[in-house]
Amino acid sequence: MDIPGVRPSRPSELVRVQDRLSFVYVERATIGRDDSAITATDDAGVIHIPAASLGALLLGPGTRVTHQAMLLLADSGSTAVWVGERGVRYYAHGRPLGRTTRLLDAQARAVTNTRSRVAVARAMYEMRFPDDDVSECSMQQLRGREGARVRGLYRTHSDRTGVEWNRRDYKPDDFASSDVINQALSAAHSCLYGIVHSVVVALGCSPGLGFVHTGHDRSFVYDIADLYKADITIPVAFDVAETIEREGLPEDDVGGITRRAVRDAVKSGAILTRCVRDIHTLLLPGDDRGDAREDYADVIELWDDRQGNVVGGTNFAPEDMEPPW
């Protein structure tokens, strides 16, 4: 008897993570489906979004989504992320694209061993600041160096744009209480978190098993996102703050202006390729297969304490073995 419904796509049939659009943010609209496209409908009309090439669909306030739309997103390996006002809060996400636990197993091994965990943290720092030798640094020393570097970045972009900078100051529960530059930084970082989150879960990694950050269900997302703030979100936020000040734009739309600026900064899709490559490099050092197809294969195995993994879907009882009851 055939299983009812349309056959789900095989992972090998789907577009790879790094070949997709980074993210699309939608609010106050109804998300539906039209053949193989996701539709966003509001008072202005209908927009079609190709699901197969979408990395993450960020669903903001006022959105409604149909069952068929979610089915298409899941079947396409796209990640639906429910976010709050201005995209600065994360609530939930959909099913990942990855089907095997190759990267997740490597992540769990590395994060549960002190030596390998410190090694990954050092590798993350070196990805951001390759001119600094931290091969002998402790975690405390890494935090100190990272703080000094980021403080210097803020000063550099403040001088470049003329935007006044005092310190990073924001309240998670009160977005509007911060000044324009801090609002722009919060909004830009939130967009980046959504992009990185989509890659982390698409590859089958755990968002909560962080190496530098810990204790939060998005710790690894924050770890990976930190790799790109210096190149993407920090300069974008200062550019937005400078534009708002120079052109006298309304300060109550900092979040929207910043989201569009981040979208333009990452629209080439290079951030997805870079994110996939960096995660592979961090979790599987020395493995040059990169975005290996085996990460997207449907593999179910059984663990064995002596033989290693054995194939699943097999009855291992000898033919002459009787039940013990």
Side-chain angles (χ1 to χ4, degrees), residues 241-306:
E242 187 274 332
T243 299
I244 289 175
E245 182 178 325
R246 173 169 45 84
E247 298 184 6
L249 299 177
E251 295 185 3
D252 59 356
D253 192 30
V254 175
I257 296 171
T258 304
R259 273 198 311 274
R260 292 187 286 273
V262 173
R263 177 199 62 197
D264 293 341
V266 303
K267 65 182 178 181
S268 68
I271 181 62
L272 297 180
T273 302
R274 185 176 170 188
C275 191
V276 171
R277 183 188 65 238
D278 289 345
I279 290 174
H280 272 269
T281 299
L282 291 167
L283 300 182
L284 297 171
D287 186 337
D288 59 0
R289 287 175 290 180
D291 179 32
R293 275 294 176 185
E294 66 185 86
D295 291 338
Y296 306 105
D298 278 304
V299 177
I300 301 178
E301 297 177 321
L302 304 177
W303 177 77
D304 188 277
D305 60 337
R306 297 180 181 179

Side-chain angles (χ1 to χ4, degrees), residues 67-307:
H67 178 275
Q68 284 297 310
M70 290 306 303
L71 187 152
L72 178 59
L73 286 170
D75 189 52
S76 303
S78 301
T79 302
V81 182
W82 282 262
V83 297
E85 188 73 27
R86 303 182 180 90
V88 297
R89 284 188 181 277
Y90 157 84
Y91 297 117
H93 69 267
R95 185 184 181 187
L97 174 61
R99 296 293 186 268
T100 74
T101 60
R102 189 170 78 104
L103 282 166
L104 177 59
D105 289 342
Q107 181 186 10
R109 283 194 300 269
V111 81
T112 52
N113 178 280
T114 300
R115 182 173 298 179
S116 59
R117 185 170 185 171
V118 173
V120 172
R122 289 171 180 158
M124 288 179 175
Y125 182 93
E126 289 170 349
M127 284 180 173
R128 301 169 68 187
F129 311 113
D131 59 330
D132 198 351
D133 181 11
V134 294
S135 58
E136 301 297 327
C137 284
S138 65
M139 291 300 296
Q140 183 179 11
Q141 291 169 325
L142 284 176
R143 288 194 298 270
R145 293 195 183 198
E146 191 268 349
R149 286 279 195 163
V150 172
R151 189 164 55 228
L153 281 172
Y154 288 145
R155 287 198 299 264
T156 296
H157 288 290
S158 176
D159 293 341
R160 176 180 65 84
T161 60
V163 173
E164 183 180 356
W165 174 256
N166 296 310
R167 64 189 178 91
R168 187 74 173 105
D169 183 19
Y170 66 99
K171 295 180 180 179
D173 296 327
D174 190 358
F175 179 82
S177 66
S178 304
D179 58 15
V180 170
I181 180 56
N182 274 288
Q183 289 185 37
L185 284 167
S186 295
H189 292 341
S190 293
C191 292
L192 181 60
Y193 295 150
I195 295 169
V196 171
H197 200 130
S198 71
V199 176
V200 168
V201 298
L203 293 178
C205 297
S206 168
L209 292 182
F211 293 85
V212 176
H213 296 83
T214 190
H216 193 279
D217 64 348
R218 301 181 83 193
S219 294
F220 190 54
V221 173
Y222 299 144
D223 280 355
I224 300 301
D226 277 353
L227 302 178
Y228 315 118
K229 288 180 179 178
D231 295 335
I232 300 175
T233 53
I234 292 177
V236 163
F238 275 91
D239 289 342
V240 166
E242 187 274 332
T243 299
I244 289 175
E245 182 178 325
R246 173 169 45 84
E247 298 184 6
L249 299 177
E251 295 185 3
D252 59 356
D253 192 30
V254 175
I257 296 171
T258 304
R259 273 198 311 274
R260 292 187 286 273
V262 173
R263 177 199 62 197
D264 293 341
V266 303
K267 65 182 178 181
S268 68
I271 181 62
L272 297 180
T273 302
R274 185 176 170 188
C275 191
V276 171
R277 183 188 65 238
D278 289 345
I279 290 174
H280 272 269
T281 299
L282 291 167
L283 300 182
L284 297 171
D287 186 337
D288 59 0
R289 287 175 290 180
D291 179 32
R293 275 294 176 185
E294 66 185 86
D295 291 338
Y296 306 105
D298 278 304
V299 177
I300 301 178
E301 297 177 321
L302 304 177
W303 177 77
D304 188 277
D305 60 337
R306 297 180 181 179
Q307 302 179 45

